[in-house]
Amino acid sequence: MILRFTDGEGRHMAATLGSEPIVIGRSSDADLAVAETKISRHHAEIRLWDGDYVIRDLKSRNGVFVNDQRVDIAVLKVGDQIRIGNIVFHLENRVEKGAGTILKEVSRELENGKGYTTMLREIVQSSVPHAKQEKSDAGAPPKN
């Protein structure tokens, strides 16, 4: 699961939820430190419990809200909106391809005539979306 939010400075942020609990707060020692005055130093905790992610208010001054309802503890679902202080978090499902799926796609592309160089170039281009792409001669690497 992914927790997406826009911080107080307007930056789009994301945190991956895993099997380890995370503490959200404005303290630098919080697992997810968010600089916002209405967030307590250790405001809330999210942890995996019996297969569900659960959020718990850590006795914060301004509370934790899930879908506009103040909660002390709540089971989270994909699509939930969590408000802590003035920050709104959105819980999303992370969809990733496993190694088996990726290997099948590569095999299929090789069978259809695509070469390793072409696939490598596509991978590099997709991983650096804002990089200036130069045209190269007959598959040669771009000149610097």
Side-chain angles (χ1 to χ4, degrees), residues 23-70:
V23 172
I24 302 169
R26 75 168 192 274
S27 174
S28 61
D29 68 346
D31 300 306
L32 183 54
V34 182
E36 205 273 313
T37 57
K38 291 189 177 184
I39 294 180
S40 299
R41 291 183 320 111
H42 298 114
H43 198 105
E45 176 187 66
I46 298 176
R47 70 172 46 232
L48 188 61
W49 188 25
D50 283 339
D52 292 316
Y53 284 101
V54 176
I55 190 165
R56 180 172 59 104
D57 189 341
L58 299 176
K59 301 186 189 313
S60 66
R61 171 179 275 174
N62 293 311
V64 172
F65 295 81
V66 176
N67 301 323
D68 292 323
Q69 298 292 316
R70 187 169 183 156

Side-chain angles (χ1 to χ4, degrees), residues 129-143:
H130 301 294
K132 181 179 178 183
Q133 298 174 5
E134 299 179 24
K135 290 188 177 183
S136 59
D137 297 326
K143 296 174 184 147

Side-chain angles (χ1 to χ4, degrees), residues 65-102:
F65 295 81
V66 176
N67 301 323
D68 292 323
Q69 298 292 316
R70 187 169 183 156
V71 298
D72 290 325
I73 189 167
V75 174
L76 298 173
K77 301 179 303 299
V78 171
D80 278 349
Q81 187 178 57
I82 302 156
R83 185 169 48 83
I84 298 175
N86 289 322
I87 305 295
V88 177
F89 299 82
H90 300 276
L91 190 61
E92 299 176 5
N93 197 8
R94 177 172 63 179
V95 178
E96 291 184 11
K97 295 179 182 177
T101 303
I102 293 169

Side-chain angles (χ1 to χ4, degrees), residues 1-4 14-20 22 32 53 94 96:
M1 298 288 232
I2 297 197
L3 199 57
R4 293 197 189 275
T16 302
L17 300 178
S19 59
E20 296 296 317
I22 65 162
L32 183 54
Y53 284 101
R94 177 172 63 179
E96 291 184 11

